[in-house]
Amino acid sequence: MDWPLVLGILPQVVMDGLVLGFMYALIALGYTMVYGVLELINFAHSEIFMVGAFVGVEILLVLRAGGLLDPLNPFLVLLLIVLTGMLVSGLLAVAIERVAYRPLRSAPRLIPLISAIGVSFFLQDAVRLVESLWRNAFYLTYPSFPVFNKRIELGETVDFSVKSLLVIAASLMVLVALQFLVNRTRLGKAIRAVAEDQPTASLMGINVNRIISVTFLIGGAMGGAAGVLFGVQYNTVNPFTGFIPGIKAFTAAVLGGIGNIPGAMVGGLVLGLLEAFAASYLSLFTGGAFGAEYKDIFAFSILILILIFRPRGLLGEVVRERA
């Protein structure tokens, strides 16, 4: 075993895992917000995330076609596409709740779950159709900003890009904002009341339907922000972009304790670090028998073991309040 190499790359592996984990966490917040109120696994959230990514790339491509992209400040452009992606994805989530989930609220839980899967496939094909008609292509590449690709060095063996730092900063800001919203505002109290007992919340004068719509708006906005940042970080998006990150983010939410906001963040970080360690060390520790392509098997095997011993997730029993 080449221990100097193992220890030498460790800081960079941790950094890569944190960036990946914060991305999963940002997506997982949308899952956990909706589950916390309705106990519904919104499988369409991965496609809401994908729509946010497409909103961002379309704005950038239109600005570039008009010759407006280069003169603008890259950070203002990023803020513009993130906010627009949040708005569109948030409104899309509200529309989905109104059309596909609200009529099924009193149905057995399996029915809205199937409806969510149907909405997921519908959104994939709808985006593919629109982009095929609009651009004759649905694999789109984000225009790059040189300032976002600059590398920041931390010592001799660790560096990361500015866009990776943006992902981490955005995730932390969203976590703090959501915690404040849920625990320190009247809206947050209403969300928690609806999450605990909808009939009683209604008797206390809370408009349950409005609160549920607001919850979907917030969760969808988180997905839209994650979609735009995903596009900036990884450059290429397509109608199926949301599937794998969505499954992993849902896993992260379950791992952290679904319905628990800090749990989503912790679950995302644990999953990201496990994947990064597996991708970097499997080949070294197995003498080349297993490579980075087995990182998902390794990471999910560890997660299964964790959930066997803590089925409510890492923070599911520690923090009782739900989104």
Side-chain angles (χ1 to χ4, degrees), residues 10-318:
L10 179 61
Q12 187 64 54
V13 172
V14 172
M15 179 57 68
D16 293 342
L18 288 176
V19 174
L20 188 61
F22 275 112
M23 180 63 71
Y24 289 151
L26 196 54
I27 307 171
L29 288 173
Y31 281 107
T32 213
M33 283 291 292
V34 171
Y35 186 88
V37 173
L38 288 181
E39 295 189 354
L40 166 69
I41 300 172
N42 183 18
F43 278 118
H45 185 69
S46 56
E47 274 56 53
I48 293 171
F49 156 82
M50 175 270 293
V51 169
F54 269 91
V55 169
V57 73
E58 282 293 347
I59 293 175
L60 292 178
L61 292 176
V62 169
L63 288 176
R64 188 174 67 179
L68 301 173
L69 188 58
D70 292 336
L72 293 175
N73 184 303
F75 292 96
L76 288 179
V77 173
L78 179 63
L79 181 62
L80 169 68
I81 61 176
V82 168
L83 292 178
T84 309
M86 292 176 70
L87 178 63
V88 173
S89 294
L91 293 177
L92 176 63
V94 171
I96 291 171
E97 187 276 330
R98 183 66 185 86
V99 174
Y101 300 153
R102 189 178 299 183
L104 303 175
R105 201 175 290 167
S106 59
R109 290 188 179 183
L110 184 60
I111 305 303
L113 187 67
I114 294 173
S115 180
I117 294 173
V119 171
S120 175
F121 284 116
F122 172 82
L123 290 176
Q124 284 182 8
D125 287 337
V127 170
R128 187 171 61 171
L129 174 64
V130 170
E131 290 296 341
S132 297
L133 295 174
W134 174 247
R135 297 192 178 277
N136 198 28
F138 48 81
Y139 281 74
L140 301 182
T141 302
Y142 268 66
S144 63
F145 294 92
V147 66
F148 293 156
N149 294 323
K150 284 185 178 178
R151 309 294 297 184
I152 300 173
E153 295 186 357
L154 294 178
E156 297 180 353
T157 59
V158 184
D159 65 39
F160 56 91
S161 63
V162 172
K163 58 188 180 184
S164 297
L165 184 62
L166 290 173
V167 170
I168 295 175
S171 301
L172 290 175
M173 285 191 293
V174 167
L175 174 65
V176 172
L178 275 181
Q179 279 289 86
F180 179 80
L181 174 71
V182 171
N183 296 311
R184 295 286 186 268
T185 66
R186 289 175 59 87
L187 175 60
K189 289 180 181 178
I191 291 175
R192 283 184 286 149
V194 171
E196 289 292 333
D197 192 326
Q198 292 185 21
T200 303
S202 179
L203 290 173
M204 296 177 69
I206 296 173
N207 188 326
V208 172
N209 286 331
R210 182 179 299 170
I211 293 301
I212 290 175
S213 294
V214 170
T215 303
F216 270 84
L217 178 68
I218 296 170
M222 298 302 101
V228 172
L229 292 173
F230 178 90
V232 172
Q233 175 75 11
Y234 299 107
N235 298 326
T236 302
V237 296
N238 64 70
F240 313 106
T241 289
F243 182 72
I244 296 299
I247 290 293
K248 292 182 177 179
F250 171 67
T251 304
V254 174
L255 175 65
I258 192 163
N260 183 296
I261 293 174
M265 186 65 70
V266 171
L269 292 177
V270 171
L271 182 59
L273 288 170
L274 284 173
E275 279 197 30
F277 277 103
S280 301
Y281 288 126
L282 267 182
S283 179
L284 291 174
F285 282 100
T286 62
F290 298 98
E293 65 271 20
Y294 293 97
K295 67 180 188 303
D296 288 344
I297 296 176
F298 173 81
F300 279 87
S301 297
I302 298 295
L303 294 179
I304 289 170
L305 289 176
I306 292 174
L307 291 176
I308 286 174
F309 295 102
R310 289 189 65 85
R312 297 189 61 173
L314 295 174
L315 300 186
E317 295 178 355
V318 176

